[in-house]
Amino acid sequence: TKKDDIPVLIAGAWAVDKDNPQIGCVWLLSTPEITKHKICFLREMRKEIAKYDEKFSLLYNQIYIKNELAKSWLKSVGFRFPRSEKKPNVMDKAFRKIEVPENFEIFYRERPLKGLGE
């Protein structure tokens, strides 16, 4: 935080394959302080995702299955959780085939497509 100089979080994204730099792995590590700064975090998170959209067409990673707070934040910026989607799309079905460690699930987000003139 600016006022107290208390660590809250660090996050980023990187290309997972130098031959296909459009696919990125997104990550975030936070301290319990994050719950005191939810609104600020969500506002900044949207800005960061917009920056990632300029670089990556697809972002993904894994999350502990019981981390409901983080999952709700991720959903609010367009990430999908293939195993729990009630109406799975083609990408959900593809991601469901990826094995993840026990008690974890995969999540992903495709860059929104822009129409003509945008």
Side-chain angles (χ1 to χ4, degrees), residues 73-84:
W73 290 340
L74 289 164
K75 287 177 184 178
S76 77
V77 292
F79 283 91
R80 294 179 63 90
F81 292 79
R83 299 213 190 284
S84 61

Side-chain angles (χ1 to χ4, degrees), residues 20-64:
N20 189 359
Q22 289 292 307
I23 299 173
C25 184
V26 64
W27 58 273
L28 181 141
L29 297 172
S30 68
T31 69
E33 282 290 311
I34 191 70
T35 58
K36 296 178 185 175
H37 307 281
K38 293 177 192 174
I39 302 301
C40 180
F41 166 66
L42 291 173
R43 185 174 30 247
E44 294 302 318
M45 182 177 172
R46 292 182 194 287
K47 292 176 189 175
E48 282 300 305
I49 295 296
K51 290 178 191 175
Y52 299 156
D53 280 346
E54 293 175 14
K55 187 172 183 179
F56 303 106
S57 58
L58 179 78
L59 291 169
Y60 77 96
N61 206 335
Q62 301 171 28
I63 190 169
Y64 181 61

